[in-house]
Amino acid sequence: MMNRIFEFDPAVYPFRLWVGMNVAPEDIKEKFWAWNIGDDTISDITDNNLSMDNVAATTYPVCCREDNWIGAFVHIRRKDKCSVGVMAHEASHVCDFLSDRFGLVGEIDKLFSHGEARAYFIEWVANCINQVKTGKIRE
């Protein structure tokens, strides 16, 4: 289970979430292209993109090589350090990427009252990350 990348479909957004734990760099590069947010292009993932050995988890905007789905890959690097806070942190990054792509942010002065869609999405992402961390995948 350690090297497997799990795919999650939020169903309501044309977006995918992948979560893996201790996945080898060559497996990540084989599965994904890097999604370049600034210009909406793809490129090969480089070793520099993956060289964050000292973090508990990290999030990458990606495009799946197999089916061209755009989404985010959350890589759990240190299970022992991947706390609830880290999962919330990474879920927030995933939500930011989705929000940038699909405009989930409400009016700036009413973000709290219009933030329910974002809050549910962050909860869903954090639950997906936790499923992989704990090995309790709901397929």
Side-chain angles (χ1 to χ4, degrees), residues 45-139:
I45 293 176
T46 66
D47 288 332
N48 273 356
N49 298 124
L50 303 175
S51 65
M52 295 188 182
D53 292 333
N54 60 339
V55 297
T58 191
T59 298
Y60 304 96
V62 295
C63 178
C64 183
R65 290 179 181 263
E66 182 180 326
D67 54 19
N68 293 320
W69 274 107
I70 294 170
F73 170 54
V74 177
H75 190 194
I76 300 169
R77 304 293 306 258
R78 298 194 55 199
K79 180 180 177 180
D80 62 323
K81 300 290 184 188
C82 191
S83 64
V84 170
V86 168
M87 288 185 272
H89 177 102
E90 298 308 323
S92 180
H93 284 312
V94 174
C95 188
D96 289 344
F97 178 46
L98 177 85
S99 296
D100 287 349
R101 290 199 45 79
F102 301 110
L104 283 184
V105 178
E107 298 171 34
I108 196 69
D109 62 336
K110 297 181 181 175
L111 184 59
F112 180 78
S113 61
H114 292 145
E116 203 64 20
R118 289 174 51 89
Y120 275 114
F121 186 73
I122 288 173
E123 176 185 357
W124 176 79
V125 172
N127 283 332
C128 293
I129 295 168
N130 191 54
Q131 285 178 48
V132 173
K133 178 189 173 194
T134 62
K136 297 178 182 173
I137 312 299
R138 288 182 237 133
E139 297 194 48

Side-chain angles (χ1 to χ4, degrees), residues 3-51:
N3 292 329
R4 187 163 167 213
I5 297 173
F6 295 89
E7 181 176 323
F8 299 91
D9 179 355
V12 297
Y13 301 112
F15 185 89
R16 291 293 183 270
L17 171 67
W18 296 272
V19 181
M21 188 161 43
N22 299 322
V23 180
E26 54 274 5
D27 293 337
I28 296 169
K29 290 188 247 182
E30 184 178 305
K31 179 142 183 91
F32 302 114
W33 284 297
W35 181 262
N36 305 307
I37 295 172
D39 59 5
D40 285 338
T41 61
I42 58 173
S43 61
D44 287 326
I45 293 176
T46 66
D47 288 332
N48 273 356
N49 298 124
L50 303 175
S51 65

